[in-house]
Amino acid sequence: MAVALGHGIKIWHRRERGAQFAIWLAWLAAAAIFIYCWQLISDKTIWAFVADAPTQAADLAVRMVPPDWSSIAKLGRPLWDTINIATLGTAIGIVVAVPVAYCAARNTTPSVALVRPAALFVIVASRSINSLIWALMLVTILGPGVLAGILAIGLRSIGFCAKLLYEAIEEIDESQVEAVRATGASGAQVTAYGIVPQVLPAFAGISVFRWDINIRESTVLGLVGAGGIGLPLNSAITTLAWTKVSLILLIIIATVVVSEWVSAKVRHTII
């Protein structure tokens, strides 16, 4: 074990017997857990299928070439729906995330004992449930369509945006806030002139970053009936139209690449 001294010099000392025993015990426990998990996986895996997987993948790749370019005109509306789902869902998530983050931050929450735990619960609940699960539940409640997808993206985005935003609020320079408060400003004015200017760049970056993530997530919501380009993708897979599947996958990749470029440009401009 290395002990750091002055001038960056390290002197090696032998660990105590108890510490060394604890380390070896931890490694033994980790190895036992790994072996147990591997055994569970092995018992539920048909290894003959795994061995045949390269052949099946090569055969599927051959069936997907060339893409069915004749179907590209029919995919414009689903792609537009996907972009709308991501954009409107992000907007909903941001609007709800702002007050939640304000209530979750220690230096701005109205009540550390009551309001802050409730806000943190909203954040954890939103982040714990995947957007596909949100979409599946909302499709059951609202029926299939774009609305379920928008709300699913919005509910998923609340936790992500609120968590990063409340951490940014907690890291602000309190001296600026105190300076504004010392002028006799009201609570709303303190927030507007002491807190908002400090967190605005982080807020803009978080919003754009989440929109970029939502573009990718919204492409698969159609697999559970929540609208977007996932609907024709699911239909193509179900009907074994592999040339159409390859076309949709190319469109999804192109859309994600463009969204990455746009978000990078916007973040660079803002930050």
Side-chain angles (χ1 to χ4, degrees):
M1 178 180 63
V3 178
L5 299 178
H7 307 290
I9 300 174
K10 293 183 178 181
I11 300 178
W12 291 90
H13 294 280
R14 184 181 295 276
R15 292 190 180 94
E16 296 181 0
R17 180 170 297 180
Q20 187 66 37
F21 178 75
I23 292 173
W24 282 108
L25 186 63
W27 277 104
L28 180 63
I33 293 173
F34 176 80
I35 293 172
Y36 175 72
C37 294
W38 178 258
Q39 184 178 3
L40 288 179
I41 295 172
S42 299
D43 291 342
K44 297 179 181 181
T45 302
I46 303 176
W47 292 105
F49 287 175
V50 176
D52 191 48
T55 302
Q56 297 298 328
D59 180 63
L60 184 60
V62 170
R63 296 183 185 184
M64 296 176 70
V65 177
D68 184 13
W69 297 106
S70 61
S71 302
I72 194 169
K74 301 178 182 178
L75 299 175
R77 179 58 184 270
L79 180 60
W80 179 245
D81 289 343
T82 296
I83 296 173
N84 285 332
I85 289 172
T87 305
L88 295 177
T90 304
I92 292 173
I94 291 171
V95 169
V96 179
V98 170
V100 172
Y102 188 88
C103 294
R106 290 184 180 274
N107 52 343
T108 57
T109 182
S111 172
V112 176
L114 297 176
V115 178
R116 186 170 189 268
L120 292 177
F121 174 78
V122 173
I123 294 173
V124 171
S126 172
R127 295 176 65 241
S128 299
I129 303 176
N130 190 273
S131 56
L132 270 177
I133 300 177
W134 280 119
L136 190 60
M137 293 189 296
L138 289 168
V139 166
T140 303
I141 298 171
L142 302 174
V146 174
L147 179 60
I150 293 172
L151 294 179
I153 291 295
L155 290 172
R156 174 65 172 171
S157 301
I158 292 171
F160 179 93
C161 297
K163 177 177 173 57
L164 296 181
L165 188 57
Y166 95 73
E167 290 176 352
I169 294 174
E170 290 183 341
E171 294 173 359
I172 63 174
D173 184 3
E174 289 293 340
S175 62
Q176 297 185 32
V177 178
E178 291 299 328
V180 175
R181 187 176 288 117
T183 63
S186 63
Q189 290 173 327
V190 170
T191 300
Y193 297 104
I195 298 176
V196 171
Q198 296 190 63
V199 300
L200 193 58
F203 170 76
I206 292 167
S207 302
V208 175
F209 183 45
R210 186 63 216 185
W211 176 79
D212 180 32
I213 294 173
N214 287 340
I215 287 288
R216 282 171 281 174
E217 292 196 354
S218 60
T219 58
V220 297
L221 294 185
L223 296 176
V224 295
I229 202 168
L231 282 174
L233 177 61
N234 185 41
S235 176
I237 293 175
T238 303
T239 58
L240 306 181
W242 299 114
T243 55
K244 189 174 181 179
V245 170
S246 63
L247 174 64
I248 296 173
L249 293 179
L250 288 175
I251 292 175
I252 291 174
I253 292 172
T255 304
V256 171
V257 169
V258 172
S259 70
E260 289 274 2
W261 179 81
V262 171
S263 63
K265 288 293 184 180
V266 174
R267 286 199 303 270
H268 178 73
T269 302
I270 294 173
I271 301 175

